[in-house]
């Protein structure tokens, strides 16, 4: 079984809809991250969390919100989706005392 | 903020050729990581480097942590078709935030 899972893997939605992307991990890591990937732009950090009570904005947090429901779960929400949020979204985790991040398989989101 | 310049952006090579790619930073990093992303998947860690001058291998892959701590190199020897993918460098500057800065990636295509 995968250590970091994301649901859904693919989603097509319409402008203005609320969307939630979910991430779960079985690695026991305390740090979790949400990234967005666009062609030619690499990975950009949206939000990150160091534990259940800690949420931090990344470089492109506008238009997004997150919820850390438990140590193993970190959700990303788009309150009112817009077309330029069409992208590939990745969740990642890191254990305490290490820099290495482990990524989920990604969610491909299309906003029409 | 910190920036990573990764080059080349893309490479088209013949099977059996060696490949080199690099990343340079505007500031010092304490850790360099190299990831590979295959189509439809999340990035997977290839090599982690923790010390200036360090040279580490993983099969046909060799990566080096530059002596200035502002650059890193990844070499792939005797490329094969399954080496196709996007290769990302990532750096961490130290401290307790555990945020990584990513390069924009090198797209590698290997012709059989």
């Amino acid at each position: 079984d995968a250590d970091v899972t994301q649901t859904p893997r693919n989603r097509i939605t319409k402008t203005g809809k609320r969307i939630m992307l979910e991430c779960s991990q079985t690695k026991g890591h305390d740090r979790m991250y949400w990234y967005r990937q666009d062609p030619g732009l690499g990975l950009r950090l949206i939000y990150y969390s160091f534990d259940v009570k800690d949420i931090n904005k990344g470089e492109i947090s506008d238009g997004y919100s997150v919820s850390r429901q438990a140590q193993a779960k970190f959700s990303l929400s788009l309150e009112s989706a817009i077309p330029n949020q069409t992208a590939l979204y990745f969740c990642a985790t890191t254990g305490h005392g290490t820099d290495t991040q482990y990524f989920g398989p990604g969610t491909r989101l299309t906003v029409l | 903020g910190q920036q990573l310049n990764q080059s080349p952006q893309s490479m088209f090579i013949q099977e059996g050729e060696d490949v080199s790619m690099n990343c340079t930073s505007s500031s010092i990093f304490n850790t360099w990581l190299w990831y590979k992303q295959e189509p439809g998947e999340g990035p997977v860690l290839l090599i982690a480097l923790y010390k200036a001058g360090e040279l580490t291998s993983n099969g046909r892959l060799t990566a080096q942590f530059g002596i200035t701590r502002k650059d890193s190199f990844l070499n792939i020897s005797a490329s094969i078709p399954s080496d196709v993918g996007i290769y990302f460098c990532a750096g961490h500057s130290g401290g307790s935030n555990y945020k990584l800065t990513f390069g924009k990636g090198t797209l590698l295509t290997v012709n059989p």
Side-chain angles (χ1 to χ4, degrees), chain A residues 9 31 33 35 37 40-43 45 48 50 57 88 90 94 96-106, chain B residues 9 30-31 33 35 37 40-45 48 50 86 88 92 95-100 102-105:
Chain A
R9 292 295 312 274
R31 292 166 168 77
Y33 307 78
Y35 290 91
Q37 185 179 32
L41 295 179
L43 291 159
L45 184 63
Y48 61 103
F50 288 163
K57 292 183 177 181
L88 200 50
F90 288 103
T94 304
H96 183 73
T98 178
D99 307 324
T100 303
Q101 293 185 14
Y102 297 89
F103 286 82
Chain B
Q9 284 187 316
N30 290 339
T31 301
L33 305 171
Y35 287 87
Q37 183 182 20
E41 301 295 330
V44 174
L45 182 69
Y50 298 107
I86 304 175
F88 291 99
H92 182 253
S96 59
N97 61 25
Y98 294 103
K99 287 192 295 178
L100 294 179
F102 284 86
K104 294 182 179 178

Side-chain angles (χ1 to χ4, degrees), chain A residues 53-71:
Chain A
K53 298 178 184 176
D54 178 83
I55 301 289
N56 303 281
K57 292 183 177 181
E59 58 183 297
I60 54 163
S61 59
D62 287 348
Y64 302 95
S65 63
V66 291
S67 173
R68 185 83 183 265
Q69 302 95 322
Q71 188 196 32

Side-chain angles (χ1 to χ4, degrees), chain B residues 1 5 18 21 31 66 85 94:
Chain B
N5 295 311
D18 296 343
M21 60 190 78
T31 301

Side-chain angles (χ1 to χ4, degrees), chain B:
Chain B
Q2 294 169 327
Q3 292 186 341
L4 279 186
N5 295 311
Q6 185 171 349
S7 65
Q9 284 187 316
S10 61
M11 302 181 75
F12 297 85
I13 63 170
Q14 293 296 125
E15 184 176 359
E17 291 183 0
D18 296 343
V19 172
S20 290
M21 60 190 78
N22 70 84
C23 277
T24 59
S25 169
S26 56
S27 54
I28 289 172
F29 283 118
N30 290 339
T31 301
W32 282 96
L33 305 171
W34 284 92
Y35 287 87
K36 178 188 178 186
Q37 183 182 20
E38 296 188 6
E41 301 295 330
V44 174
L45 182 69
L46 298 173
I47 293 178
L49 302 159
Y50 298 107
K51 198 163 118 179
E54 180 181 353
L55 187 71
T56 297
S57 292
N58 178 4
R60 294 177 294 106
L61 277 62
T62 302
Q64 184 163 24
F65 193 140
I67 200 72
T68 65
R69 295 166 64 194
K70 291 185 177 182
D71 57 7
S72 181
F73 305 86
L74 176 69
N75 296 315
I76 305 173
S77 63
S79 60
I80 59 178
S82 63
D83 289 333
V84 164
I86 304 175
Y87 291 79
F88 291 99
C89 61
H92 182 253
S93 57
S96 59
N97 61 25
Y98 294 103
K99 287 192 295 178
L100 294 179
T101 301
F102 284 86
K104 294 182 179 178
T106 295
L107 174 61
L108 178 64
T109 303
V110 180
N111 295 317

